[in-house]
Amino acid sequence: MKLLKALHRQPMLIKVPALAALLMIVVSAVISERVLSRLSDNQHRHLSFVSDTFLDGLASALLPAVQRADVWEAFDAIDRAGRVYKAIKPETTVLADAGGRVLAANNPKAFPPLSMLPAQFTSRFTAGELLISDERQAAFVTKDVVQQGRHLGTIYSIFDISRQVQERKEILSTLIWTNCLLAALFAGLGYWSLRRLLEPVKTLSDHLRLAAEDEAREISTTEFPRKGSEFRPLFHGYNALVSAERERSQFEKQLHEEEKLASLGRLTSGMAHEINNPLGGMFSALDTLQRHGAKPEVRAKSVSLLKRGLSGIRDVVSSALLTYRPPKEPTALRPNDLEDIRLLLRPELRRKKLSLQWENSVRSEMAVDSTPIRQILLNILLNSIAASEAGGSIVCEARPAGDALQLTVEDDGPGLPKRILTFLNTDGPVSAPITDSAGLGLWIVKRLAGEMGGSVEANNLSAKGARISISIPLQREGLKDVA
Amino acid sequence: MNISVGNPSLNRRKFIAVSTAAGAAAVSPCPASAGSESFHFGLTPVFRSDDLELLEILQSFLEKQLQIPVKLVARRTYQEITSLLVSGQIHAAWICGYPYLQYRNLLSLVAIPVWRGKPLYQSYIIAGASSQAKSLADMKGKIHAFSDPNSNSGYLVTAARLAEQRIRPDTFFQKTFFTYGHRNVIRAVASGLAHSGSVDGYVWEAVAEAEPGLATQTKVIAKSEWLGFPPIACPKAIDDSEHIRKLKTALTEAQAGGPASTLLARLRLDGFTAPTADLYGPIAKKAELVRRLG
């Protein structure tokens, strides 16, 4: 199992040629087996034929000797036959009479005349069949000497087939070597040619892998397959995709910047009011100071009013600055950062006569980047304000929840369109609904949340309105403290 | 013959008459039916007729000495050669002492080979090299190989030995068979086909020199007394013919260093000698012994 898994994990560039090589080997093994089998058959048939011829000749020569039970003539004929035949080597030849008694043999010391042939000897033979014993490297044949239908005697012959066995071994060895060589050669060829064929695929898949890791690069023309390859259009297509993606990315950044400016624009009038509001009181305080400044209690009251007014202006200005000229490094979120947002939105709320139920449970510094958090909250609230009718109410809640910051905004407007709900709730790439300013703001929210590893959940409330909930996980690395 | 030119018809008649007479003389039956055509010399298994080179040497020697073509006639059995000799179908043959004795009324001795200084040889009883046998008695109940039923050394001597104890070979031994060749007896015993054999001592010794590999597979158990060497014989009717006289001369004068040296060396003989009176007497006695046993 483990081995299979390990094999499966091999890159395609190894797997495919390896399979081809394996196929070659299997084919050549099958062919070798067939050849050997055929050779074996041929050898058997040849041996059978030659031994039959030998026995036929011998039987004919021995017939008179058998008829007369002439020991010497039988021996002489057997002895001569053994020397004459070159095709085969009869190691043992025995002539027995009809009763199984030896008449003569080529080695009478082993088979003396008049002795009975033991059953263990005769049982090794089968009439009409060539039997081969591989361990002894010998072939066993027998033939009856017959005249006028009468069985007069039997010839038993054992041939030494070591030469045939040797031949078979040599052929097997040659076959194996040749096949190994050919298989290696074909495997090599297959491997090389398949590699060449698959190289464009490898290039493409490498680039795609990089793209998945957000490092998409166009494929340089030096890595292109040659003209006419079916992969060439694919490469062109890929490069087109990458450049389109890059364009889009740049476009997005641009849009982000523009949206910032747009939301800045939306807030400008509110901000002007915020700054303007205390100005009237501050000028009248200055007047009072001018006229009655000698009186200490008048001085004290006017100064504190001026201080209050200027602080208010400073807060508005600094929040705007923080939003629109963010510090270069990520800074930890402090409770006041969220309060600033509330401050910025007060004019808009007042204008549309909306009430804001504000619940900020963030008591201490939190390890999340404050700038994008403020942007997110700002955008969602702006969106809710824009969607709400006059007299409506908005609920905004910010609380630490375990190892994340939870932001929730609810309004009682008409609810979010389905498209936007889908966009906000779906993880992964989805076409941005950048058709109007509301869609753009929420798109930026989703982007920023995604960048921080957070999640967005949006749904329309059963009665009226919409609810957007953001959860941002705390950062591991330390964030810079705000100065 | 000169034919004088005269009356043509008379001369022609004369010519025909003369030539007919000459032709008749040429065709008239002699005891040996081949007049001047070729000389037929018979060989028995005494002779190493499987040695073809030896046959060529013999043939060329005879042809040179007799000045006529020589045909060597080999047969499987002594009986056949003896029959050919007796019936005059061959002019001479190298036979054995025993067949000579059987037909001594119809055959004449031409010459006797001399081997190791004497015209004598022995019959050997042999057994396998690894055999434990020490004498003929140890061969009882076993398989024995003879060479030829008409052979002295290859049958008669052993049969006579047993006849002395009033035993026949086919009851003494488990089985006997004839190999029709002295070298074959050695082959039979060497291969184990027979436990023992009766063989011509001269042939055994010759094989021991020429084919030691074969002879050393056997060992000599017993040797007979010295008996008359197998002779060259011819039909009595032609024993005075020109060719027989030439043959006799050629053989008895053959010696090492002469034209017969290759032949003698090959045959391992010293030469040939004229026959003596009672050379085959002892063999005759053995034959009688066996005959009386029945």
Side-chain angles (χ1 to χ4, degrees):
Chain A
M1 227 31 246
K2 271 187 145 175
L3 181 66
L4 273 175
K5 277 203 172 134
L7 287 170
H8 209 72
R9 261 187 271 120
Q10 295 302 314
M12 189 173 51
L13 220 55
I14 288 179
K15 265 201 292 206
V16 176
L19 271 173
L22 187 66
L23 180 68
M24 301 294 173
I25 290 167
V26 166
V27 164
S28 70
V30 166
I31 289 177
S32 305
E33 190 274 328
R34 290 279 86 221
V35 166
L36 270 180
S37 169
R38 196 58 197 268
L39 172 72
S40 184
D41 279 348
N42 270 359
Q43 277 188 332
H44 192 106
R45 232 177 302 129
H46 172 77
L47 194 60
S48 208
F49 173 70
V50 169
S51 61
D52 276 349
T53 313
F54 170 81
L55 285 179
D56 284 346
L58 191 57
S60 146
L62 287 174
L63 186 59
V66 171
Q67 283 173 327
R68 296 193 281 263
D70 191 329
V71 170
W72 172 255
E73 287 308 314
F75 172 78
D76 202 28
I78 290 170
D79 189 45
R80 223 169 333 145
R83 276 179 274 126
V84 159
Y85 277 75
K86 291 190 176 55
I88 39 175
K89 279 197 285 174
E91 177 183 276
T92 300
T93 306
V94 183
L95 171 68
D97 65 16
R101 210 175 274 275
V102 175
L103 192 61
N106 71 319
N107 49 345
K109 289 187 178 145
F111 301 94
L114 305 180
S115 63
M116 284 298 292
L117 275 178
Q120 72 189 51
F121 176 82
T122 53
S123 64
R124 280 200 230 120
F125 299 81
T126 302
E129 228 180 276
L130 176 85
L131 298 172
I132 294 192
S133 158
D134 278 316
E135 327 83 64
R136 276 195 51 188
Q137 298 200 354
F140 296 77
V141 283
T142 179
K143 187 180 169 69
D144 284 337
V145 180
V146 172
Q147 203 205 26
Q148 290 169 4
R150 279 186 178 74
H151 171 228
L152 298 179
T154 314
I155 306 173
Y156 300 92
S157 220
I158 302 175
F159 297 107
D160 168 36
I161 56 167
S162 57
R163 193 168 60 83
Q164 277 86 346
V165 169
Q166 181 62 25
E167 197 178 74
R168 201 164 353 145
K169 277 206 187 113
E170 279 168 17
I171 289 182
L172 175 67
S173 162
T174 307
L175 258 178
I176 287 177
W177 280 112
T178 314
N179 278 334
C180 283
L181 232 72
L182 282 175
L185 182 70
F186 284 126
L189 272 172
Y191 185 89
W192 177 79
S193 53
L194 278 169
R195 256 195 106 97
R196 279 199 56 145
L197 274 172
L198 293 175
E199 216 133 67
V201 176
K202 183 173 188 324
T203 313
L204 258 180
S205 62
D206 282 345
H207 278 270
L208 281 168
R209 207 175 342 109
L210 282 173
E213 289 160 12
D214 280 335
E215 288 174 42
R217 264 186 293 126
E218 272 153 327
I219 307 172
S220 82
T221 40
T222 53
E223 287 182 273
F224 267 48
R226 62 174 188 1
K227 276 198 172 60
S229 160
E230 63 193 87
F231 286 109
R232 234 182 133 88
L234 282 177
F235 276 55
H236 280 299
Y238 178 80
N239 280 354
L241 259 173
V242 167
S243 71
E245 172 64 26
R246 202 178 306 124
E247 267 183 42
R248 201 182 70 94
S249 207
Q250 282 175 317
F251 185 51
E252 265 178 34
K253 285 207 187 80
Q254 256 184 293
L255 278 176
H256 195 162
E257 286 306 309
E258 280 173 16
E259 194 273 350
K260 266 205 214 158
L261 293 172
S263 50
L264 173 63
R266 284 211 301 268
L267 289 170
T268 310
S269 57
M271 242 177 67
H273 280 292
E274 281 306 295
I275 295 174
N276 200 34
N277 285 349
L279 281 176
M282 279 163 61
F283 276 116
S284 59
L286 275 170
D287 264 342
T288 311
L289 205 57
Q290 226 180 357
R291 270 191 266 132
H292 304 288
K295 295 185 189 151
E297 59 277 13
V298 171
R299 226 178 20 246
K301 202 169 161 208
S302 303
V303 165
S304 98
L305 200 137
L306 282 169
K307 258 197 175 157
R308 274 207 312 277
L310 285 169
S311 294
I313 292 172
R314 186 191 57 188
D315 283 345
V316 169
V317 170
S318 74
S319 357
L321 281 175
L322 274 175
T323 305
Y324 297 105
R325 262 201 263 131
K328 296 252 177 351
E329 290 147 20
T331 43
L333 182 79
R334 297 171 69 167
N336 266 350
D337 296 327
L338 295 174
E339 296 299 322
D340 282 348
I341 301 298
R342 188 172 165 205
L343 202 66
L344 281 171
L345 289 172
R346 253 207 326 242
E348 277 292 296
L349 287 164
R350 246 188 277 128
R351 190 174 63 82
K352 285 191 102 172
K353 297 189 178 47
L354 301 167
S355 66
L356 172 63
Q357 190 183 320
W358 179 260
E359 285 162 36
N360 182 3
S361 320
V362 178
R363 294 275 168 265
S364 58
E365 204 173 273
M366 283 186 80
V368 281
D369 190 2
S370 71
T371 309
I373 296 281
R374 287 154 60 98
Q375 186 77 40
I376 284 171
L377 200 54
L378 187 64
N379 280 12
I380 296 177
L381 284 168
L382 276 175
N383 192 61
S384 291
I385 290 171
S388 297
E389 295 153 5
S393 68
I394 294 175
V395 180
C396 178
E397 191 192 352
R399 61 179 174 82
D403 55 359
L405 169 66
Q406 189 80 21
L407 300 166
T408 312
V409 174
E410 277 179 25
D411 67 47
D412 55 6
L416 291 164
K418 191 150 177 254
R419 213 167 24 92
I420 290 184
L421 274 177
T422 315
F423 169 71
L424 286 174
N425 284 323
T426 313
D427 283 327
V430 132
S431 65
I434 312 170
T435 47
D436 51 28
S437 57
L440 181 56
L442 289 176
W443 175 72
I444 287 180
V445 162
K446 180 120 171 111
R447 232 183 77 135
L448 289 173
E451 274 171 21
M452 290 191 289
S455 62
V456 179
E457 209 183 292
N459 55 289
N460 287 337
L461 300 170
S462 47
K464 209 171 172 237
R467 180 171 187 249
I468 298 179
S469 197
I470 314 263
S471 174
I472 308 291
L474 300 179
Q475 299 275 45
R476 293 291 157 83
E477 307 100 60
L479 296 165
K480 194 171 183 298
D481 284 337
V482 95
Chain B
M1 169 170 19
N2 291 335
I3 299 174
S4 52
V5 181
N7 186 349
S9 56
L10 202 67
N11 281 343
R12 203 185 302 127
R13 233 183 282 132
K14 219 176 170 185
F15 173 66
I16 290 168
V18 168
S19 55
T20 313
V27 183
S28 70
C30 303
S33 51
S36 52
E37 285 274 288
S38 63
F39 189 86
H40 293 195
F41 191 88
L43 298 168
T44 61
V46 176
F47 202 83
R48 310 253 339 268
S49 39
D50 55 307
D51 188 346
L52 299 175
E53 210 184 315
L54 177 52
L55 292 178
E56 278 172 19
I57 296 169
L58 174 65
Q59 180 160 8
S60 69
F61 169 75
L62 291 175
E63 279 181 348
K64 216 175 287 175
Q65 296 301 316
L66 301 178
Q67 301 284 309
I68 53 162
V70 168
K71 183 171 169 204
L72 298 179
V73 176
R75 290 289 183 270
R76 191 161 160 267
T77 65
Y78 281 34
Q79 181 72 35
E80 287 166 278
I81 289 292
T82 314
S83 309
L84 288 174
L85 200 58
V86 162
S87 65
Q89 289 175 69
I90 50 178
H91 302 107
W94 193 352
I95 57 171
C96 183
Y98 185 25
Y100 163 71
L101 289 171
Q102 289 168 330
Y103 295 96
R104 67 162 81 86
N105 301 326
L106 300 168
L107 300 173
S108 299
L109 295 171
V110 173
I112 318 294
V114 176
W115 179 58
R116 296 188 176 175
K118 294 176 278 185
L120 300 171
Y121 79 131
Q122 292 168 299
S123 166
Y124 288 3
I125 291 181
I126 58 172
S130 55
S131 168
Q132 306 293 327
K134 299 266 178 348
S135 69
L136 179 59
D138 295 334
M139 315 304 193
K140 184 179 169 68
K142 298 210 177 103
I143 301 176
H144 190 88
F146 288 122
S147 67
D148 189 296
N150 289 311
S151 168
N152 172 49
S153 55
Y155 173 73
L156 182 62
V157 169
T158 309
R161 247 315 262 289
L162 293 172
E164 282 168 18
Q165 276 117 55
R166 309 203 61 77
I167 311 168
R168 287 194 195 77
D170 51 359
T171 44
F172 182 78
F173 299 108
Q174 182 195 16
K175 182 176 170 73
T176 64
F177 56 81
F178 293 97
T179 66
Y180 299 102
H182 290 289
R183 187 171 172 275
N184 289 345
V185 172
I186 303 174
R187 276 172 66 199
V189 174
S191 72
L193 194 69
H195 295 101
S196 51
S198 305
V199 73
D200 182 326
Y202 152 71
V203 173
W204 193 92
E205 296 292 346
V207 168
E209 280 176 38
E211 289 175 86
L214 174 60
T216 49
Q217 290 179 58
T218 65
K219 62 180 178 193
V220 180
I221 301 295
K223 295 182 184 179
S224 71
E225 69 271 46
W226 292 93
L227 302 163
F229 208 96
I232 313 292
C234 71
K236 212 183 235 342
I238 60 160
D239 67 1
D240 206 30
S241 70
E242 184 203 344
H243 298 300
I244 295 299
R245 270 188 278 119
K246 272 199 188 147
L247 182 63
K248 202 177 280 205
T249 317
L251 290 174
T252 48
E253 283 175 11
Q255 57 193 335
S261 32
T262 326
L263 179 66
L264 289 176
R266 207 47 184 264
L267 289 171
R268 290 172 169 82
L269 296 175
D270 302 335
F272 293 80
T273 181
T276 52
D278 202 28
L279 191 55
Y280 299 102
I283 296 178
K285 284 205 187 76
K286 291 187 194 291
E288 184 58 26
L289 198 63
V290 170
R291 195 184 61 78
R292 260 194 269 126
L293 186 61

